[in-house]
PDB file of all heavy atoms in Angstrom:
ATOM      1  N   THR H 247      14.906-112.790-137.660  1.00  0.00           N
ATOM      2  CA  THR H 247      15.077-113.105-136.251  1.00  0.00           C
ATOM      3  C   THR H 247      15.861-114.416-136.164  1.00  0.00           C
ATOM      4  O   THR H 247      15.977-115.147-137.144  1.00  0.00           O
ATOM      5  CB  THR H 247      13.725-113.309-135.554  1.00  0.00           C
ATOM      6  OG1 THR H 247      13.074-114.424-136.176  1.00  0.00           O
ATOM      7  CG2 THR H 247      12.852-112.081-135.690  1.00  0.00           C
ATOM      8  N   GLY H 249      15.207-117.154-134.966  1.00  0.00           N
ATOM      9  CA  GLY H 249      14.481-118.409-135.068  1.00  0.00           C
ATOM     10  C   GLY H 249      14.219-118.846-136.498  1.00  0.00           C
ATOM     11  O   GLY H 249      13.863-119.997-136.743  1.00  0.00           O
ATOM     12  N   GLU H 274      30.744-112.447-137.192  1.00  0.00           N
ATOM     13  CA  GLU H 274      29.652-112.677-136.249  1.00  0.00           C
ATOM     14  C   GLU H 274      28.342-112.269-136.913  1.00  0.00           C
ATOM     15  O   GLU H 274      28.200-111.156-137.403  1.00  0.00           O
ATOM     16  CB  GLU H 274      29.871-111.870-134.981  1.00  0.00           C
ATOM     17  CG  GLU H 274      28.748-112.078-133.998  1.00  0.00           C
ATOM     18  CD  GLU H 274      29.174-111.841-132.563  1.00  0.00           C
ATOM     19  OE1 GLU H 274      30.071-111.013-132.346  1.00  0.00           O
ATOM     20  OE2 GLU H 274      28.618-112.477-131.681  1.00  0.00           O
ATOM     21  N   VAL H 281      21.811-104.433-133.771  1.00  0.00           N
ATOM     22  CA  VAL H 281      22.638-103.243-133.598  1.00  0.00           C
ATOM     23  C   VAL H 281      21.897-101.999-134.096  1.00  0.00           C
ATOM     24  O   VAL H 281      21.767-101.016-133.378  1.00  0.00           O
ATOM     25  CB  VAL H 281      23.996-103.395-134.317  1.00  0.00           C
ATOM     26  CG1 VAL H 281      24.820-102.117-134.188  1.00  0.00           C
ATOM     27  CG2 VAL H 281      24.773-104.571-133.731  1.00  0.00           C
ATOM     28  N   GLU H 406       2.241-105.939-137.131  1.00  0.00           N
ATOM     29  CA  GLU H 406       0.794-106.016-136.972  1.00  0.00           C
ATOM     30  C   GLU H 406       0.186-107.156-137.794  1.00  0.00           C
ATOM     31  O   GLU H 406      -1.005-107.436-137.663  1.00  0.00           O
ATOM     32  CB  GLU H 406       0.146-104.710-137.436  1.00  0.00           C
ATOM     33  CG  GLU H 406       0.591-103.488-136.665  1.00  0.00           C
ATOM     34  CD  GLU H 406      -0.148-103.306-135.355  1.00  0.00           C
ATOM     35  OE1 GLU H 406      -1.382-103.340-135.365  1.00  0.00           O
ATOM     36  OE2 GLU H 406       0.524-103.150-134.323  1.00  0.00           O
ATOM     37  N   TYR H 408       0.412-110.425-137.990  1.00  0.00           N
ATOM     38  CA  TYR H 408      -0.125-111.646-137.389  1.00  0.00           C
ATOM     39  C   TYR H 408      -1.539-111.446-136.843  1.00  0.00           C
ATOM     40  O   TYR H 408      -2.482-112.130-137.241  1.00  0.00           O
ATOM     41  CB  TYR H 408       0.803-112.176-136.294  1.00  0.00           C
ATOM     42  CG  TYR H 408       0.290-113.460-135.699  1.00  0.00           C
ATOM     43  CD1 TYR H 408       0.602-114.686-136.276  1.00  0.00           C
ATOM     44  CD2 TYR H 408      -0.545-113.452-134.594  1.00  0.00           C
ATOM     45  CE1 TYR H 408       0.097-115.860-135.774  1.00  0.00           C
ATOM     46  CE2 TYR H 408      -1.057-114.619-134.083  1.00  0.00           C
ATOM     47  CZ  TYR H 408      -0.736-115.821-134.665  1.00  0.00           C
ATOM     48  OH  TYR H 408      -1.243-116.989-134.167  1.00  0.00           O
TER      49      TYR H 408
ATOM     50  N   ARG G 220      19.223 -95.960-133.571  1.00  0.00           N
ATOM     51  CA  ARG G 220      18.295 -96.689-132.694  1.00  0.00           C
ATOM     52  C   ARG G 220      17.160 -95.787-132.219  1.00  0.00           C
ATOM     53  O   ARG G 220      16.042 -96.239-132.017  1.00  0.00           O
ATOM     54  CB  ARG G 220      19.023 -97.295-131.495  1.00  0.00           C
ATOM     55  CG  ARG G 220      19.949 -98.405-131.904  1.00  0.00           C
ATOM     56  CD  ARG G 220      20.253 -99.341-130.768  1.00  0.00           C
ATOM     57  NE  ARG G 220      19.136-100.204-130.424  1.00  0.00           N
ATOM     58  CZ  ARG G 220      18.893-101.359-130.993  1.00  0.00           C
ATOM     59  NH1 ARG G 220      19.644-101.795-131.976  1.00  0.00           N
ATOM     60  NH2 ARG G 220      17.888-102.101-130.583  1.00  0.00           N
ATOM     61  N   LEU G 335       8.487-115.182-133.005  1.00  0.00           N
ATOM     62  CA  LEU G 335       9.339-114.942-134.164  1.00  0.00           C
ATOM     63  C   LEU G 335      10.783-115.352-133.885  1.00  0.00           C
ATOM     64  O   LEU G 335      11.439-115.962-134.717  1.00  0.00           O
ATOM     65  CB  LEU G 335       9.288-113.457-134.558  1.00  0.00           C
ATOM     66  CG  LEU G 335       7.949-112.962-135.110  1.00  0.00           C
ATOM     67  CD1 LEU G 335       7.963-111.453-135.277  1.00  0.00           C
ATOM     68  CD2 LEU G 335       7.640-113.636-136.438  1.00  0.00           C
ATOM     69  N   ILE G 336      11.268-115.018-132.689  1.00  0.00           N
ATOM     70  CA  ILE G 336      12.668-115.327-132.382  1.00  0.00           C
ATOM     71  C   ILE G 336      12.851-116.829-132.148  1.00  0.00           C
ATOM     72  O   ILE G 336      13.836-117.413-132.577  1.00  0.00           O
ATOM     73  CB  ILE G 336      13.144-114.541-131.131  1.00  0.00           C
ATOM     74  CG1 ILE G 336      13.124-113.034-131.426  1.00  0.00           C
ATOM     75  CG2 ILE G 336      14.545-114.965-130.734  1.00  0.00           C
ATOM     76  CD1 ILE G 336      13.604-112.164-130.288  1.00  0.00           C
ATOM     77  N   ALA G 342       0.083-118.679-132.340  1.00  0.00           N
ATOM     78  CA  ALA G 342      -1.250-119.128-131.933  1.00  0.00           C
ATOM     79  C   ALA G 342      -1.161-119.981-130.661  1.00  0.00           C
ATOM     80  O   ALA G 342      -1.921-119.784-129.711  1.00  0.00           O
ATOM     81  CB  ALA G 342      -1.900-119.906-133.064  1.00  0.00           C
ATOM     82  N   THR G 417      -3.534-101.762-132.647  1.00  0.00           N
ATOM     83  CA  THR G 417      -3.077-100.396-132.485  1.00  0.00           C
ATOM     84  C   THR G 417      -4.170 -99.405-132.897  1.00  0.00           C
ATOM     85  O   THR G 417      -4.416 -98.414-132.211  1.00  0.00           O
ATOM     86  CB  THR G 417      -1.802-100.168-133.313  1.00  0.00           C
ATOM     87  OG1 THR G 417      -0.863-101.183-132.957  1.00  0.00           O
ATOM     88  CG2 THR G 417      -1.202 -98.823-133.053  1.00  0.00           C
ATOM     89  N   ARG G 477      27.780-112.807-126.617  1.00  0.00           N
ATOM     90  CA  ARG G 477      28.845-113.772-126.305  1.00  0.00           C
ATOM     91  C   ARG G 477      28.975-113.960-124.796  1.00  0.00           C
ATOM     92  O   ARG G 477      29.189-115.059-124.308  1.00  0.00           O
ATOM     93  CB  ARG G 477      30.181-113.290-126.869  1.00  0.00           C
ATOM     94  CG  ARG G 477      30.315-113.479-128.363  1.00  0.00           C
ATOM     95  CD  ARG G 477      31.769-113.389-128.795  1.00  0.00           C
ATOM     96  NE  ARG G 477      32.346-112.077-128.523  1.00  0.00           N
ATOM     97  CZ  ARG G 477      32.200-111.021-129.328  1.00  0.00           C
ATOM     98  NH1 ARG G 477      31.503-111.153-130.439  1.00  0.00           N
ATOM     99  NH2 ARG G 477      32.746-109.876-129.030  1.00  0.00           N
TER     100      ARG G 477
END
Side-chain angles (χ1 to χ4, degrees):
Chain H
T247 62
E274 179 154 31
V281 177
E406 299 278 309
Y408 182 87
Chain G
R220 292 202 73 87
L335 292 172
I336 296 182
T417 307
R477 284 197 297 277

